[in-house]
Amino acid sequence: MKKTIAAICALVLFAQVACVSNVKPQNTPAPTAELTAAPTEKPTDGSTTAPTAAPSEDPSGAPTAEPTAPPAPAVVFPTPGRLGNLVNGGSVLPEGMAYFVLDGESDIHYVYDRFGELLTTFTAPSDDFNCWSDSAGIYGEYGVPYGYCIKRGEMMPADIIDFANRLFEYRKIWDDEEGYSEYSEYYGFVWTAFWDKKLERRIEFDRPLGFGFGAGILPVDDKLILIADRDVEENGEQVSYTEAIMLDENGKVIGDFDPEPFGGIDMIEGVFADRYLLVKADDESHPLELDGDWPWYRKYDLYSLSGECVMRDCWAVPSDSFHYWDGCGRGLIYANCFINRQGEVFDGELNLLYTVPEGTDLSDFNIVPSEYSSIFHEDYCCSYTVDQEGIYAGVKDEEGNWVFKVYNPKLASDSQPETEPDDEW
């Protein structure tokens, strides 16, 4: 019986082996339903492998890298805060001012209105030999920075002289193609045109008018008085004399101007507020001008165009002067306020403005308020300032607070400016 059972078991085992050899392997074995080995009854007393005395070397043979330094802290730049109009959309300029101008790189200039809105840009080089303002700044309605008329939106002619808040055009007598003109007896130049007070009309003279060496134009009482020296030949000799003619506001010649009621043409030294002639009085210094080295205030009498003296003992300081850079001009002045002997300051309407404090030294005091400066130039009638010295540019109020601020347009390019040989010094 035992032999029979043993024979049967041997046959079964042989059949199983034969079956296994014909089964293909599976890629992923099926999970077993239960553990195939019993866990150990208790943990072993210690690690079965002793720790090495030192870290083992990199199998690749490469040297061990040094520990890296912690990263440097990030550079933090100050935040700009608000830019543009900083007064909640209100005007960034005081009453009476219309524009402000910022310089850009090279010859570019930016024009903003009184609310800080960019109106336009223009290009114009700086020129120390013209009559225009040569800097960024704050301008009124008739501002002409760098020769650009903001009101008209165009560049003004180059050959212009501004005096007494008026603009006068001229041209040279000598022409490279035509030679001397018919006005060669004058010194180098003739007047050709002028502009009305609002810069709306360019008015040509009936004919070019001689601009002699001792020349000048006085706008007074809606008239123009033109003074010029000329050389003429008499009996074979060159004779010099001064002539003066009067024109109306349309450039028409009215006739000769008679200077005798004013003591002669050389006694007329300027115009006061477009209404009166400044006639030289004497060389007396003002009682409040304590520094006797050089009198800054000149003493005048005011005369109407009809020859009537309306006020005496008026000390004035020029807010504008008539000259030409090539040497022409009589040195006429324009003033629109004066101080009397009692220290009272009057405006162009002969109204009292204020009284100078007692003890003031006029040698260190300017009686002319800012609003009495030339209407064509920067900072006319303005106590605010344009600041363009740092990374920001814009307008600051009287306390030095920004009311308009942008990134400085002069720093718009990283290119280096070209230096002239003289600049290297």
Side-chain angles (χ1 to χ4, degrees):
M1 184 66 181
K2 290 181 180 179
K3 292 181 179 181
T4 301
I5 293 173
I8 292 171
C9 288
L11 289 175
V12 171
L13 179 61
F14 178 80
Q16 287 180 347
V17 172
C19 290
V20 169
S21 63
N22 292 325
V23 175
K24 294 182 179 181
Q26 300 294 323
N27 290 331
T28 304
T32 56
E34 58 183 5
L35 293 175
T36 57
T40 57
E41 296 181 0
K42 62 179 180 178
T44 57
D45 293 334
S47 174
T48 58
T49 306
T52 57
S56 60
E57 294 185 359
D58 190 328
S60 64
T64 305
E66 295 292 332
T68 57
V75 178
V76 179
F77 294 98
T79 56
R82 287 177 55 197
L83 295 176
N85 186 317
L86 305 181
V87 290
N88 298 323
S91 175
V92 300
L93 298 178
E95 189 69 26
M97 303 312 298
Y99 312 100
F100 63 94
V101 176
L102 300 181
D103 292 338
E105 59 174 328
S106 185
D107 295 339
I108 301 175
H109 309 280
Y110 299 82
V111 181
Y112 295 81
D113 68 11
R114 62 195 307 262
F115 297 100
E117 294 293 331
L118 181 63
L119 294 182
T120 187
T121 63
F122 66 93
T123 58
S126 176
D127 186 354
D128 294 333
F129 295 105
N130 64 27
C131 66
W132 311 117
S133 297
D134 245 2
S135 67
I138 299 173
Y139 292 83
E141 180 182 359
Y142 303 105
V144 190
Y146 300 95
Y148 178 83
C149 180
I150 300 176
K151 181 175 182 178
R152 298 180 62 84
E154 62 185 11
M155 296 296 295
M156 298 295 287
D159 295 331
I160 278 186
I161 289 178
D162 75 320
F163 178 64
N165 291 329
R166 302 298 296 272
L167 299 178
F168 303 96
E169 294 184 29
Y170 65 90
R171 66 175 173 82
K172 295 181 179 180
I173 289 173
W174 172 263
D175 185 271
D176 292 336
E177 297 181 357
E178 300 180 3
Y180 281 105
S181 73
E182 58 183 305
Y183 300 98
S184 58
E185 70 270 24
Y186 294 94
Y187 182 83
F189 303 90
V190 292
W191 300 115
T192 57
F194 66 100
W195 293 77
D196 69 358
K197 295 180 180 180
K198 295 183 178 181
L199 298 183
E200 295 174 348
R201 206 162 50 110
R202 178 183 180 272
I203 304 164
E204 293 188 0
F205 292 117
D206 283 344
R207 58 178 175 83
L209 300 169
F211 174 17
F213 179 80
I217 288 185
L218 296 169
V220 55
D221 197 18
D222 296 327
K223 307 289 192 304
L224 296 176
I225 299 173
L226 186 148
I227 306 171
D229 295 340
R230 64 184 302 185
D231 294 332
V232 297
E233 186 175 334
E234 293 182 0
N235 300 323
E237 297 181 356
Q238 290 291 325
V239 178
S240 298
Y241 68 94
T242 301
E243 64 180 6
I245 60 175
M246 186 179 296
L247 305 95
D248 64 18
E249 276 289 286
N250 293 314
K252 308 294 183 182
V253 176
I254 298 174
D256 293 336
F257 169 75
D258 182 10
E260 292 307 316
F262 314 98
I265 198 68
D266 291 332
M267 296 296 291
I268 300 174
E269 295 195 351
V271 61
F272 182 77
D274 298 333
R275 302 184 62 193
Y276 306 106
L277 293 175
L278 289 169
V279 177
K280 182 179 178 180
D282 55 45
D283 294 329
E284 179 188 5
S285 298
H286 193 280
L288 294 179
E289 196 167 9
L290 305 181
D291 185 357
D293 292 341
W294 178 262
W296 292 102
Y297 292 79
R298 297 291 301 274
K299 185 180 178 182
Y300 300 100
D301 297 328
L302 300 186
Y303 277 79
S304 67
L305 200 54
S306 63
E308 174 190 4
C309 182
V310 297
M311 190 168 290
R312 297 190 183 275
D313 295 347
C314 307
W315 280 266
V317 61
S319 61
D320 198 4
S321 59
F322 179 92
H323 66 280
Y324 182 68
W325 61 270
D326 198 28
C328 290
R330 299 182 66 85
L332 301 174
I333 73 165
Y334 171 74
N336 45 24
C337 63
F338 69 85
I339 182 172
N340 65 9
R341 189 178 297 275
Q342 292 73 36
E344 298 171 323
V345 178
F346 293 83
D347 64 11
E349 302 290 333
L350 304 185
N351 298 317
L352 178 63
L353 288 177
Y354 64 94
T355 301
V356 174
E358 185 177 353
T360 299
D361 183 358
L362 283 186
S363 301
D364 300 320
F365 188 85
N366 184 10
I367 66 170
V368 183
S370 63
E371 60 266 28
Y372 285 73
S373 60
S374 173
I375 63 175
F376 302 126
H377 294 173
E378 76 275 14
D379 301 332
Y380 165 76
C381 190
C382 188
S383 56
Y384 285 25
T385 56
V386 160
D387 187 338
Q388 200 168 358
E389 296 301 322
I391 191 173
Y392 301 115
V395 179
K396 289 184 175 180
D397 62 16
E398 295 170 318
E399 287 75 33
N401 301 313
W402 291 106
V403 291
F404 177 88
K405 182 175 71 171
V406 293
Y407 286 112
N408 195 338
K410 286 199 291 190
L411 308 178
S413 174
D414 293 331
S415 62
Q416 296 297 319
E418 297 182 3
T419 58
E420 298 292 335
D422 293 343
D423 296 338
E424 298 177 358
W425 290 97

